[in-house]
Amino acid sequence: MTQTNSKSPVVFVVHDGKSKYLSDVIMSAKLSSNKVFYIGDQIISDNLLPKDQVIRPDFNNTSLLNEFTKVWKHQSLDNFEWSFGCFKRHFLVLEAASRLKLYDFWIIDSDFLVLENLSIITEYLKENNIEVALSSPKSENKYFMA
């Protein structure tokens, strides 16, 4: 994949199903000067994002996901649908990033508000040749992030 020359970080908001707050999540990331792509099945209005930044995949039929499901064995204590959805989301983002020729980007859950431009973090990581994944671990403090 080749790297884009976007000054604002690319943020993928991935969502499957109906949500009252999805528009707020997208607008928050967008108003924070991030370039936002939405991957999902919920219809969002045209004034939220340009059509080329809205990706409506066939959630059950992507080539890499199909290959993955042939070898994956569900062994989690979580239910199958939830676990499969976690994997599926990453395959959908991978296919979108490949098609858009993106090398670095952020994946944001559809219930997470981005309140700042992610450029500072993105540039720091790129300048220091750091490849990283950030997540929030299980914690008793519901506002703890890693």
Side-chain angles (χ1 to χ4, degrees):
M1 288 184 266
T2 59
Q3 204 166 350
T4 63
N5 293 327
S6 174
K7 289 188 179 182
S8 64
V10 171
V11 176
F12 285 107
V13 176
V14 185
H15 184 79
D16 185 6
K18 300 296 178 204
S19 165
K20 293 180 181 178
Y21 50 81
L22 180 62
S23 295
D24 295 332
V25 170
I26 291 171
M27 286 305 297
S28 174
K30 183 178 166 183
L31 291 172
S32 300
S33 299
N34 299 288
K35 183 169 185 175
V36 180
F37 284 85
Y38 166 67
I39 301 173
D41 62 346
Q42 183 171 330
I43 303 298
I44 61 171
S45 65
D46 290 338
N47 62 350
L48 284 178
L49 293 172
K51 289 189 186 299
D52 64 337
Q53 289 173 229
V54 176
I55 301 165
R56 297 199 199 295
D58 179 346
F59 275 87
N60 298 310
N61 187 23
T62 64
S63 59
L64 293 173
L65 181 62
N66 290 341
E67 292 300 312
F68 172 75
T69 57
K70 291 177 186 175
V71 296
W72 179 54
K73 291 183 178 29
H74 177 67
Q75 297 180 351
S76 172
L77 297 177
D78 295 317
N79 72 37
F80 175 84
E81 289 79 19
W82 190 87
S83 296
F84 183 68
C86 291
F87 285 111
K88 178 171 58 173
R89 165 178 60 175
H90 293 288
F91 283 101
L92 295 170
V93 169
L94 176 61
E95 288 193 11
S98 295
R99 184 175 48 171
L100 297 166
K101 296 181 175 32
L102 298 174
Y103 177 76
D104 50 273
F105 49 85
W106 295 83
I107 304 170
I108 304 297
D109 286 343
S110 59
D111 60 352
F112 191 90
L113 287 174
V114 176
L115 301 174
E116 294 187 31
N117 186 312
L118 299 172
S119 293
I120 294 170
I121 299 170
T122 302
E123 288 306 312
Y124 174 82
L125 296 172
K126 288 165 64 174
E127 288 170 4
N128 291 286
N129 293 319
I130 299 172
E131 294 184 12
V132 65
L134 304 170
S135 65
S136 56
K138 288 188 177 181
S139 173
E140 294 299 316
N141 178 347
K142 64 182 178 178
Y143 300 111
F144 179 79
M145 299 296 288

